[in-house]
Each structure stands twice: as structure tokens, then as C-alpha cells.
């Protein structure tokens, strides 16, 4: 059940002030939060997730005015983006002040700031009255949680409290935009499109969507394999369904999950009658993003032996979804 009572927020603030971990709903995915001004508290995040200390966290604040306090400079582009798109699924990387502990930023001189668009997250941030470091509330390298139940299954008693705000509206992580250099760069595609950003501040660069793990210096979350479900996941383009049929021939009797657009006609080998878990996925990018991680968590719960996922069209509106699907899957 969704919890939105002020008692829960009061309890969560008390835990955060004691240096404990509170997972909370945002509009993108659930975050695993700790006081971003406490080294000991932030270290707990890394321990609970098994997260490499080289991967910095996003720091959440309640408003643009608060964000400015933690940045040494606030370029005009930040002001424009924040005014238009905050609260919302956009994270801005800027030069930080010392109050944000180095553990939260993996020792960098920059901090990734975001104002989440969720009433419970905002109530928590206002009541805490400080910055909350929060990566996604999953074990490192696994699929991000979009419900409180996903968080509990992933982290169990490694988290001191879960603020349940219901299923996440956006469903994939925020767009990460680096504004600390000469030219703005999208480090991770996400809830806010490149087009929307360029309408506001002009041309931006885009870091290659997928980089090898050892080259993932600028934004470690961009590593090639990330967000993986337990079962091996394979991807295919709409015209390549034969690849899936071939796989079932090579693996008789093995149950797989198949993510395909709702209404797609399937060859008989791939039917539910053969025991497979057919996950009918939405046909618009926003609906698909909302469902994607829940579908992958579902496949994990069902203990399928493989996941085959049809990639949506290679079009700008689908870029964030294709990015997450590509990084969740093994190379074809
Ligand atoms: O939607 C979201 O962004 C969610 C919710 C909870 O807000 N959070 C999230 O956090 O996805 P996480 O830790 O899973 O991803 C943070 C991303 C990583 O790709 C990380 O490398 C990048 O942000 N990042 C954080 N600080 C950075 C910095 N100072 N410079 C460059 N990249 C940074
Ligand atoms: Mg994450």
C-alpha cells in the first residue's frame, strides 16, 4: 500500500538524520537515500548496493533555490532548464561545494543534482531540509525498482525504511546532463528528451550511449552491461523473430520470457502454449518506459531461463528505452 502519511515522513527524516538509509519513490525509479553531507551515511549506500565507489550518486533537493546552494556556479543554462523542467526527470551536473561529501560524488569536483517530481519525495526533501544522495534502490548492476515491493525484494533489511509512493510514473531513470564544461553533454538519456533540452538551451552533445566498462569514466552508469535481470537477456529487431525461434530449437523445454509489442502475431513455437512467458508491451515510448523494469522484475520472479526482448523502432522518441534495453541485454 502507498504510504503518504506525515508520520512516515517524520520517521524517515529521523532515520536520515541518524545516518540511516531510506528508500523512497520518485517519478522515475525508487532511490536509496542517505544524508549527502555525511560520509558515514553515504558509505552505507555503497555497502547496501555493492556499488563500486567510483560511481557517483545523484543528489536530490527540494527546489532550484536549494540546488543553487550546493553549486559553486549556476550557469544561465541551469536556470533555464531548472525553471522549465524541475521538478522532473532531469539531472544537472555542476561544480559542487564542500558540504556535499566526496563519497557522494566519487571524489569528483562536480555533483549531479535533481528535484524529483513526486509528492512523497518532495515532502521528504522539504522536511529533511537538506540534500539526499540517492542512486536507484537496487543492488549494483541489477534492474532499477519501480515499486516498493521491488525495493524490498532487492535490498531486504539492508534498507532501514521504504517510503511507498506507488508505482513510478516515468519508469526509467532521469536524463543526466553535464553542464560543468564548455559544452553541455548528455551523459545518460532518460525521462527528458534531447529535443526538449535543445529547445531551451541550444545544441548539446551526446555521449555514446554504450561504452565499455573500462572507459566509463565520465558517467560510470553508462557501462555497457548494466541494469541486468538475473536471466540472460537477448535483444532482437522487429524483423528478426527467427532468431528467437532458432533459440527455442536449440534449447528445447526451456522456458523464456518474450517481450513483444501488444498484438504482435507470433510463430507457434513461441506461443504461451509452449510454456513461455509472453509479456505484451505497450506501443508508445512513455507507456513502454513505465512498464519495462516491472516486466524484467516479473521475468526474474518467474525464474525463466532466458529473456528475449524485441527492440522498439530506432527513432529519437525511443532512444532512452532502447538504451536501457541494450544495456540490460547480453550482446546478440
Ligand atoms: O532517475 C534517477 O536519476 C534515479 C532517481 C532515484 O533519482 N537515480 C539514479 O541514480 O538513476 P543512479 O545512481 O542509479 O545513476 C546516477 C547516474 C550514473 O550514471 C552516474 O554515473 C551519474 O548519474 N552521475 C552522478 N554524479 C555524476 C557526476 N558528478 N558526474 C557525472 N556523472 C554523474
Ligand atoms: Mg542505477
Amino acid at each position: 500500500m502507498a504510504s503518504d502519511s506525515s508520520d512516515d515522513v517524520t520517521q524517515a527524516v529521523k532515520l536520515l538524520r541518524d545516518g540511516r538509509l531510506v528508500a523512497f519513490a520518485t517519478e522515475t525509479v525508487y532511490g536509496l537515500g542517505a544524508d549527502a553531507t555525511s560520509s558515514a551515511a553515504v558509505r552505507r549506500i555503497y555497502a547496501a548496493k555493492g556499488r563500486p565507489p567510483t560511481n557517483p550518486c545523484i543528489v536530490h533537493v527540494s527546489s532550484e533555490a536549494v540546488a543553487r546552494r550546493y553549486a559553486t556556479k549556476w550557469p544561465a543554462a541551469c536556470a533555464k532548464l531548472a525553471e522549465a523542467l524541475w521538478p522532473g526527470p532531469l539531472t544537472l551536473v555542476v561544480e559542487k561545494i564542500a558540504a556535499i561529501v566526496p563519497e557522494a560524488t566519487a571524489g569528483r569536483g562536480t555533483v549531479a543534482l535533481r528535484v524529483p517530481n513526486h509528492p512523497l519525495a518532495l515532502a521528504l526533501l522539504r522536511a529533511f531540509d537538506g540534500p539526499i544522495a540517492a542512486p536507484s534502490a537496487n543492488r549494483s548492476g541489477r534492474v532499477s525498482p519501480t515499486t516498493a515491493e521491488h525495493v524490498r525484494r532487492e535490498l531486504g533489511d539492508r534498507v532501514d525504511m521504504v517510503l511507498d509512493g506507488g508505482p513510478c510514473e516515468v519508469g526509467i531513470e532521469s536524463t543526466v546532463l553535464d553542464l560543468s564544461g564548455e559544452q553541455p553533454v548528455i551523459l545518460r538519456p532518460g525521462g527528458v528528451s534531447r529535443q526538449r533540452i535543445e529547445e531551451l538551451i541550444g545544441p548539446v552533445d551526446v555521449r555514446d550511449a554504450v561504452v565499455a566498462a573500462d572507459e566509463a569514466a565520465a558517467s560510470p552508469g553508462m557501462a555497457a552491461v548494466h541494469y541486468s535481470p538475473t536471466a540472460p537477456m537477448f535483444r532482437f529487431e522487429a524483423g528478426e523473430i527467427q532468431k528467437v525461434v532458432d533459440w527455442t530449437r536449440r534449447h528445447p523445454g526451456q522456458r523464456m520470457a518474450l517481450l513483444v509489442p501488444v498484438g504482435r502475431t507470433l510463430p507457434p513455437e513461441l506461443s504461451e502454449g509452449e510454456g513461455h512467458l509472453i509479456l505484451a508491451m505497450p506501443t508508445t515510448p512513455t507507456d513502454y518506459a513505465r512498464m519495462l523494469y516491472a516486466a524484467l522484475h516479473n521475468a526474474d520472479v518467474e525464474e525463466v531461463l532466458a529473456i528475449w526482448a524485441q527492440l522498439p523502432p530506432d527513432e529519437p522518441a525511443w532512444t532512452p528505452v532502447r538504451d536501457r534495453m541494450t544495456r540490460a541485454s547480453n550482446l546478440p
Side-chain angles (χ1 to χ4, degrees):
M1 273 318 290
S3 58
D4 57 1
S5 82
S6 57
D7 285 358
D8 289 338
V9 169
T10 306
Q11 169 69 7
V13 167
K14 191 172 169 301
L15 287 165
L16 289 173
R17 292 207 203 293
D18 285 346
R20 313 302 308 186
L21 300 182
V22 174
F24 59 96
T26 81
E27 81 282 32
T28 57
V29 300
Y30 276 69
L32 180 61
D35 180 353
T37 65
S38 160
S39 295
V42 174
R43 272 192 227 112
R44 285 210 171 94
I45 296 178
Y46 284 81
K49 282 181 61 96
R51 184 177 177 94
T54 49
N55 192 358
C57 299
I58 291 177
V59 173
H60 299 71
V61 289
S62 59
S63 69
E64 184 197 354
V66 177
R68 283 174 186 253
R69 283 191 228 147
Y70 296 102
T72 54
K73 323 184 259 246
W74 197 249
C78 287
K80 266 194 197 151
L81 292 163
E83 271 149 36
L85 300 171
W86 277 358
L90 175 67
T91 296
L92 303 178
V93 176
V94 291
E95 271 174 44
K96 76 173 189 78
I97 64 161
I100 303 291
V101 295
E103 285 80 0
T105 63
R108 289 155 195 262
T110 54
V111 60
L113 292 166
R114 165 167 127 77
V115 180
N117 187 18
H118 191 291
L120 194 51
L122 287 170
L124 177 68
L125 286 161
R126 286 190 196 113
F128 180 62
D129 195 24
I132 301 180
S136 49
N138 49 281
R139 305 257 184 144
S140 184
R142 309 241 318 121
V143 178
S144 299
T146 54
T147 66
E149 196 200 329
H150 295 160
V151 177
R152 292 194 193 98
R153 209 164 55 224
E154 271 287 300
L155 296 173
D157 59 10
R158 291 168 174 235
V159 51
D160 298 297
M161 182 178 188
V162 183
L163 277 181
D164 184 347
C168 301
E169 263 302 300
V170 175
I172 59 170
E173 297 83 351
S174 62
T175 303
V176 179
L177 179 67
D178 187 349
L179 287 154
S180 66
E182 297 270 291
Q183 172 72 16
V185 191
I186 293 179
L187 300 178
R188 178 177 76 182
V192 169
S193 72
R194 173 187 188 172
Q195 189 201 334
R196 187 76 188 96
I197 291 169
E198 291 191 327
E199 280 166 11
L200 291 161
I201 62 164
V204 299
D205 288 342
V206 180
R207 242 180 94 84
D208 282 348
V210 175
V211 294
D214 57 355
E215 289 169 19
S219 190
M222 298 305 281
V225 178
H226 203 69
Y227 314 113
S228 305
T230 309
M233 174 165 157
F234 307 100
R235 56 184 186 264
F236 62 99
E237 301 285 350
E240 298 177 326
I241 194 87
Q242 190 57 38
K243 281 190 182 175
V244 191
V245 175
D246 292 346
W247 183 90
T248 58
R249 292 208 175 117
R250 289 197 308 275
H251 300 85
Q254 294 202 10
R255 183 165 184 249
M256 59 152 185
L258 180 61
L259 277 68
V260 282
V262 62
R264 166 155 199 172
T265 324
L266 293 171
E269 294 92 328
L270 304 181
S271 69
E272 226 139 11
E274 294 296 308
H276 301 302
L277 177 68
I278 311 297
L279 298 169
M281 299 300 288
T283 52
T284 67
T286 47
D287 290 344
Y288 198 110
R290 191 178 303 126
M291 296 296 302
L292 174 61
Y293 291 154
L296 299 181
H297 280 284
N298 187 359
D300 271 354
V301 169
E302 294 277 328
E303 297 182 340
V304 297
L305 295 171
I307 300 171
W308 279 87
Q310 178 177 324
L311 287 168
D314 190 3
E315 293 164 6
W318 285 100
T319 297
V321 166
R322 280 183 65 104
D323 169 80
R324 298 306 188 279
M325 291 177 75
T326 301
R327 286 190 281 133
S329 51
N330 303 53
L331 296 174

